[in-house]
Amino acid sequence: MERIGSVHQPLREVPAPADPTWEQLLPQMGRWALDVAFVWRAVLTLGLVLLYYCFSIGITFYNKWLTKSFHFPLFMTMLHLAVIFLFSALSRALVQCSSHRARVVLSWTDYLRRVAPTALATALDVGLSNWSFLYITVSLYTMTKSSAVLFILIFSLIFKLEELRAALVLVVLLIAGGLFMFTYKSTQFNMEGFALVLGASFIGGIRWTLTQILLQKADLGLQNPIDTMFHLQPLMFLGLFPLFAIFEGLHLSTSEKIFRFQDTGLLLRVLGSLFLGGILAFGLGFSEFLLVSRTSSLTLSIAGIFKEVCTLLLAAHLLGDQISLLNWLGFALCLSGISLHVALKALHSRGDGDPKPSKGLGSSPDLELLLRSSQPEEGDNEAAEEDFVAQG
């Protein structure tokens, strides 16, 4: 018998998949890098917004809390100005040491002629705002200060920084109508405090207009926020001093909390509380600068709108502010006017396609300084990218 042997067929080797080429990997790596960059930018923006909220909302509630026991808001404001000047001078010195470039120092002529009007208006705005905390609630303060956009638009039209358009008229009507609805039959309404904060908002309209004009003068070199704060604070202090001397000077000189103290521990606690408020005021301006320089002024404007909502909710929950349905509707109407103003500015800026700052003013009226995020290099004449308003 023939033995039928099995023939072993040689195994065929399955070819291994070819390694991906660089041409194939690059698109995937690019998409991955874009995803990581997007997530990082989102996290950074959220962190900066939260930092801004902490300082902005924090200083509002802190000043309200402090004025309950320390009834000298003008002195408190002056001490805040001194702290801001101290920190801005220290920041200028550190930047100068690291960059080996001298910071701008204005001549006395430019300082008194160009900076003094802006400093005086800013001092009155901040001083009257803090003074109003003696009489009104945080919710009424927040709502009334939001109406500063109304005065900013009016003075922008007067100084021809804005062109009269039907949309701006609608913005004015929405904000004014919202303010009326919020204050109408309010159970915690105080006329004296309302007059103070409304006067501060009116002066704020002049303040932001003058600041806009001041910072558009490139020859002054005040585009950097630290330089702006450094030059404004001394004149703000001097501008607020006569008001302090008339209304608080005598009472403060006889108060046991400061000059006629008997308890050293109480004096240190009071001074520490005032100094902490100054740190919050400086941190607010610096956090706004970081937010705008890393994102845009539109981000700050939108964040400012939601900040007002958070402030009112916290005031109702923590301080027991009574807000009726009509008040909430008025607040919503006012915010819709502010939102429309922000949207119009964004569309106008995008339509121009010009990297130079627009002529319009910022949309966050409760901020302390109108700043720019440009940092010109040597030999370059770069324009400032964004304008924004910083709160005190």
Side-chain angles (χ1 to χ4, degrees):
M1 292 181 62
E2 243 178 53
R3 182 185 236 178
I4 302 175
S6 60
V7 180
H8 294 280
Q9 299 291 336
L11 296 176
R12 294 183 180 179
E13 295 184 0
V14 179
D19 293 334
T21 62
W22 280 107
E23 289 78 6
Q24 296 172 331
L25 286 177
L26 281 178
Q28 299 178 4
M29 294 176 62
R31 286 193 296 270
W32 179 79
L34 287 176
D35 292 340
V36 172
F38 175 79
V39 172
W40 167 247
R41 187 174 181 84
V43 172
L44 178 64
T45 301
L46 180 61
L48 292 175
V49 168
L50 291 178
L51 181 66
Y52 161 64
Y53 278 11
C54 289
F55 282 113
S56 182
I57 298 177
I59 195 173
T60 299
F61 283 88
Y62 188 82
N63 286 343
K64 177 61 179 178
W65 168 78
L66 189 58
T67 51
K68 289 182 178 179
S69 57
F70 188 79
H71 300 156
F72 305 100
L74 297 179
F75 178 79
M76 175 186 73
T77 305
M78 292 173 60
L79 191 59
H80 289 179
L81 297 177
V83 173
I84 294 174
F85 176 76
L86 176 65
F87 276 91
S88 59
L90 180 61
S91 301
R92 277 167 52 97
L94 293 176
V95 171
Q96 183 170 333
C97 290
S98 61
S99 63
H100 303 288
R101 286 185 293 180
R103 308 304 304 175
V104 60
V105 178
L106 297 181
S107 65
W108 281 106
T109 302
D110 289 335
Y111 190 50
L112 296 177
R113 188 180 63 186
R114 298 187 178 185
V115 179
T118 305
L120 179 60
T122 305
L124 292 176
D125 182 11
V126 178
L128 294 180
S129 297
N130 289 335
W131 196 353
S132 68
F133 277 127
L134 290 176
Y135 309 101
I136 63 174
T137 61
V138 170
S139 57
L140 182 57
Y141 167 84
T142 301
M143 177 63 194
T144 310
K145 285 293 287 182
S146 298
S147 68
V149 175
L150 176 68
F151 299 107
I152 291 174
L153 288 177
I154 293 174
F155 284 105
S156 296
L157 293 173
I158 294 175
F159 285 87
K160 299 188 183 303
L161 297 175
E162 289 273 8
E163 296 179 359
L164 181 60
R165 302 190 302 271
L168 290 182
V169 177
L170 179 60
V171 169
V172 170
L173 292 177
L174 287 174
I175 296 176
L179 179 62
F180 174 78
M181 291 175 61
F182 191 86
T183 56
Y184 182 70
K185 292 186 177 180
S186 176
T187 57
Q188 296 175 302
F189 181 79
N190 182 283
M191 178 54 72
E192 188 173 1
F194 178 72
L196 283 172
V197 71
L198 190 63
S201 299
F202 175 80
I203 296 174
I206 303 175
R207 162 194 179 185
W208 303 133
T209 306
L210 292 175
T211 308
Q212 179 77 16
I213 297 173
L214 176 68
L215 294 185
Q216 283 182 346
K217 297 182 182 298
D219 58 313
L220 292 179
L222 293 181
Q223 283 76 23
N224 188 283
I226 301 299
D227 294 330
T228 307
M229 287 191 284
F230 175 80
H231 285 85
L232 281 178
Q233 306 312 307
L235 288 177
M236 289 175 61
F237 186 94
L238 294 177
L240 202 59
F241 184 82
L243 202 62
F244 155 76
I246 294 173
F247 291 97
E248 294 182 359
L250 181 61
H251 298 289
L252 185 65
S253 62
T254 58
S255 172
E256 295 183 355
K257 291 187 175 181
I258 299 292
F259 292 106
R260 299 186 63 184
F261 69 93
Q262 297 179 354
D263 185 354
T264 307
L266 176 61
L267 175 65
L268 294 178
R269 284 194 298 271
V270 170
L271 294 179
S273 300
L274 296 173
F275 188 81
L276 179 58
I279 295 177
L280 289 176
F282 178 82
L284 173 61
F286 196 72
S287 65
E288 288 169 337
F289 169 69
L290 287 177
L291 180 59
V292 169
S293 62
R294 299 298 180 182
T295 57
S296 68
S297 60
L298 179 62
T299 303
L300 177 66
S301 299
I302 296 175
I305 294 173
F306 286 101
K307 184 207 71 174
E308 311 292 358
V309 178
C310 295
T311 303
L312 254 67
L313 291 175
L314 288 174
H317 180 70
L318 298 179
L319 303 181
D321 289 6
Q322 300 175 11
I323 306 175
S324 65
L325 178 60
L326 180 63
N327 299 150
W328 279 113
L329 291 176
F331 181 67
L333 191 64
C334 184
L335 284 189
S336 64
I338 297 175
S339 302
L340 177 60
H341 178 57
V342 172
L344 290 173
K345 283 178 60 63
L347 292 175
H348 184 262
S349 176
R350 181 174 299 181
D352 288 344
D354 192 347
K356 293 182 180 182
S358 61
K359 295 172 72 176
L361 290 168
S363 303
S364 300
D366 58 334
L367 307 178
E368 165 118 11
L369 293 171
L370 186 62
L371 308 174
R372 296 189 179 185
S373 61
S374 64
Q375 296 180 356
E377 301 292 336
E378 289 186 11
D380 295 334
N381 293 322
E382 298 176 353
E385 294 178 0
E386 300 289 349
D387 296 337
F388 69 96
V389 181
Q391 162 186 355

